[in-house]
Amino acid sequence: MALHPQSSLNNSRHPQIIASSVHLPHKHSATLSYSTHVPSNHGPKRCPYLLVFLSGLEQPQTAWSNVSKCLLQDYKLSATTPPFLAYDRYGCGASSRDPSEVHVRPNTSWPETHDIFDAVQDLRQLLLYVGVMRLGYPSRALAARDLRPVFVASSLGTFIARLYAQFFPGSVAGLLLIDPIPIDIPLIDTISDLESPDFDARSLPEGVTKEMCVGAKESIKKSRFHHEVKNREGLRWGNVWTWIPNAQGPVLKGPREQGRRVEVTVVKHDAGAGVRDFRKMFRIPEAIVKTFFMPRINQYHEALPNIAGKKRGKGPLVAIGAGHNPHIETPDFIVTEMQDLLERILRAKSCRSNL
């Protein structure tokens, strides 16, 4: 078992975080790097929950270092500490490139099968492996039935979290979704349709010109954060709209012991810092971000808690001072909301058991 302390959550101040790598059975030729913290008194019957950190596009697991440090400090390694897992998706951090990259479609540089659905399947296999090898479940079958992941996901990682909960109903206990990107419409499509016969440049707000819109669209099409451009991770994610057509649905089904409810919290960026980060990501004018991107992103964030059921989710909550990466910039706030999420999950389970 290879160790990657230089590219994992592990460091000398937190030796209780174990960095490892694995060859998963469905992709045995590739190495996947992951890190875990498992309390010494942990057992599947004692705590079925596993906090799972899901990174944004091209972000390695080290993006969660600040959160993991705060989490350990806040819980003080007490008996209530849940185990947690972070990992590098294939093509990211210390993990190998995805094996499918040796088979590309004609006239493209995209892998044939390494898409967002494939990333969900990779996560499933990793959770089953960790359930047996690190958490003590006797078999993969029992881990699949009894393990209750709680996903703490950022940006593109929120797609994977939602899809996992959707594809494996009844298994996911909670979601903490951090600055999710709108899933029902590409951000480039929020900019005025300049080719429409109904387009009138006079309808543009003050400070925004047709030339700015044209330039912004061209810049977005070249950005590796655009869904049609190959990113460094080699992950195709433009088909996510096939699986999740809108912000509010489908409503997710949680574990039976929680009354089939998935607890959901949504955290969003602070306005000014969010504009700053999206402007840098796509290299477009601030006026374009404010005029077109932000209204759509805000609408999405307002609707997203409803995947827990109408008026049952929490948020969106603003991470004061943070841009698109609140888990890096405001880890204390994220850990506070993680703790709140876990407490709500336990209350839901307790209420259900008393019925």
Side-chain angles (χ1 to χ4, degrees), residues 224-243:
R224 68 180 188 275
F225 298 108
H226 180 48
H227 66 277
E228 293 181 353
V229 175
K230 185 175 182 181
N231 48 73
R232 295 171 183 171
E233 191 174 330
L235 178 65
R236 288 193 300 120
W237 58 276
N239 61 343
V240 68
W241 293 280
T242 303
W243 306 103

Side-chain angles (χ1 to χ4, degrees), residues 53-242:
F53 300 128
L54 301 177
S55 301
L57 185 66
E58 300 182 356
Q59 276 196 345
Q61 59 182 293
T62 49
W64 299 98
S65 295
N66 293 342
V67 166
S68 66
K69 292 173 187 176
C70 291
L71 182 64
L72 293 179
Q73 291 167 0
D74 278 17
Y75 275 102
K76 299 179 181 178
L77 301 182
S78 68
T80 59
T81 309
F84 60 76
L85 163 72
Y87 71 105
D88 293 326
R89 290 188 296 270
Y90 293 111
C92 190
S95 292
S96 303
R97 305 299 298 183
D98 189 86
S100 67
E101 291 200 42
V102 300
H103 303 292
V104 298
R105 290 179 293 174
N107 303 319
T108 76
S109 56
W110 283 103
E112 180 65 35
T113 59
H114 188 40
D115 61 7
I116 199 77
F117 177 76
D118 189 46
V120 173
Q121 297 301 321
D122 295 340
L123 174 58
R124 176 68 168 179
Q125 293 300 317
L126 176 61
L127 292 184
L128 296 181
Y129 173 85
V130 169
V132 174
M133 301 304 296
R134 296 288 296 131
L135 301 182
Y137 286 90
S139 68
R140 288 167 62 93
L142 288 176
R145 187 191 72 183
D146 297 334
L147 180 62
R148 298 287 181 256
V150 178
F151 293 130
V152 182
S154 168
S155 191
L156 179 135
T158 64
F159 298 169
I160 297 173
R162 284 188 65 178
L163 285 172
Y164 189 101
Q166 187 174 322
F167 293 153
F168 302 102
S171 64
V172 176
L175 303 176
L176 175 53
L177 305 176
I178 303 171
D179 213 40
I181 300 171
I183 213 166
D184 50 351
I185 180 173
L187 287 175
I188 192 172
D189 290 347
T190 64
I191 300 175
S192 297
D193 183 2
L194 308 177
E195 305 301 325
S196 170
D198 298 327
F199 173 74
D200 184 350
R202 293 173 298 181
S203 66
L204 295 172
E206 185 177 355
V208 177
T209 65
K210 179 179 180 179
E211 290 71 25
M212 288 173 63
C213 293
V214 171
K217 287 196 171 190
E218 289 302 315
S219 182
I220 293 169
K221 289 177 182 178
K222 297 176 183 177
S223 170
R224 68 180 188 275
F225 298 108
H226 180 48
H227 66 277
E228 293 181 353
V229 175
K230 185 175 182 181
N231 48 73
R232 295 171 183 171
E233 191 174 330
L235 178 65
R236 288 193 300 120
W237 58 276
N239 61 343
V240 68
W241 293 280
T242 303

Side-chain angles (χ1 to χ4, degrees), residues 246-291:
N246 60 71
Q248 303 184 62
V251 174
L252 303 176
K253 295 181 180 179
R256 180 177 300 174
E257 66 270 17
Q258 292 175 210
R260 296 298 186 188
R261 173 175 176 172
V262 178
E263 295 293 336
V264 176
T265 299
V266 177
V267 171
K268 62 180 291 185
H269 57 260
D270 204 347
V275 170
R276 173 202 67 201
D277 285 356
F278 281 104
R279 179 177 59 81
K280 290 180 179 179
M281 286 169 62
F282 295 104
R283 298 182 180 180
I284 57 178
E286 181 176 305
I288 295 292
V289 177
K290 287 182 175 180
T291 301

